[in-house]
Amino acid sequence: MTSATTCSDTFQFFRLWIANPLRVAAVAPSGATLARLMTQEISPDDGPVIELGPGTGVFTRTLLARGVRESDLTLVEYGSDFTRMLQLRFPRARVLWMDAGQLARFDLFSGAPVGAVVSGLPLLSMSPRKVTSILQGAFSYVRPGGAFYQFTYGPRCPVPRPILDRLGLKATRVGHTVRNLPPAAVYRIVRRQPIGIMRGGFGETRRMSGEGPAG
């Protein structure tokens, strides 16, 4: 990616933020350090992967660099300008122009094959009802042991504990970076499992090797 492209993306992002600051949560695209933190636990074996709110494709490019096949990516973007950009940049990915809150209303996959969901959505600016709809829809496609990754600029998990409890989910802080504008933290959200299964299930044990629960 050239410096000219980076400058163009930053200008586009800022222009759309000015037009709708509640829907575009940052004044600039996420940085490379945050993108690596968001995707560090995802491998080609986790495909298919859903990305919510990919914007200019910063996380998308990092997923590809980690070996995830472009054809295994479903990019869900509400902004029409970003959608057109994503279709040009990632022609083998499935790019959907839609509201992430409507995920459960469409049959995006047969069954629940998805191993990971990467979210760049501004959950802190959304209503609890909208956040609940997004998580319910996303997890309807996620297979056992799969995870939902969300970053935030806030001091704690952007999904309130009551919502996590209602949906049977738990959040764990993966890490944070100050090398982003603004600094950000990343959380992994997974289904809660009975203690016996967590101890014996090798897929879930791998996911849980990190810091303590943050939800």
Side-chain angles (χ1 to χ4, degrees):
M1 187 176 184
T2 66
S3 58
T5 301
T6 301
C7 291
S8 174
D9 284 357
T10 301
F11 175 78
Q12 173 84 332
F13 215 94
F14 181 73
R15 183 179 68 81
L16 293 174
W17 176 79
I18 289 292
N20 195 339
L22 292 180
R23 186 167 289 278
V24 182
V27 298
S30 299
T33 303
L34 176 56
R36 288 192 294 270
L37 185 60
M38 278 285 284
T39 61
Q40 67 180 5
E41 297 184 345
I42 301 174
S43 74
D45 293 337
D46 289 312
V49 174
I50 296 175
E51 188 177 354
L52 306 178
T56 60
V58 175
F59 296 159
T60 314
R61 284 188 291 270
T62 308
L63 287 167
L64 295 175
R66 292 194 57 80
V68 177
R69 292 185 295 273
E70 187 172 318
S71 58
D72 271 347
L73 295 175
T74 293
L75 312 179
V76 177
E77 175 58 55
Y78 186 79
S80 58
D81 290 337
F82 287 144
T83 300
R84 287 190 291 270
M85 183 187 301
L86 293 166
Q87 289 170 335
L88 291 173
R89 290 182 174 179
F90 310 106
R92 290 187 295 278
R94 177 167 58 166
V95 181
L96 303 177
W97 180 23
M98 63 179 287
D99 188 329
Q102 306 295 316
L103 285 170
R105 299 190 180 186
F106 297 91
D107 293 325
L108 302 186
F109 297 92
S110 176
V114 173
V117 179
V118 175
S119 172
L121 298 174
L123 297 187
L124 289 177
S125 66
M126 296 179 179
S127 68
R129 182 175 181 179
K130 182 67 171 287
V131 173
T132 300
S133 295
I134 290 169
L135 287 169
Q136 282 182 323
F139 273 97
S140 70
Y141 300 114
V142 174
R143 61 181 179 253
F148 184 109
Y149 294 91
Q150 176 70 48
F151 80 90
T152 182
Y153 303 128
R156 59 182 61 87
C157 180
V159 182
R161 183 60 180 268
I163 293 179
L164 292 171
D165 289 344
R166 189 180 314 138
L167 298 179
L169 303 173
K170 58 180 287 186
T172 303
R173 180 166 157 152
V174 174
H176 73 281
T177 176
V178 296
R179 299 179 64 183
N180 192 73
L181 181 65
V186 172
Y187 287 83
R188 178 200 316 117
I189 301 173
V190 299
R191 295 183 181 91
R192 290 180 179 168
Q193 299 287 349
I195 293 176
I197 294 179
M198 288 196 298
R199 288 177 177 170
F202 51 85
E204 189 65 16
T205 300
R206 178 179 69 85
R207 291 286 185 197
M208 295 178 61
S209 58
E211 301 178 36

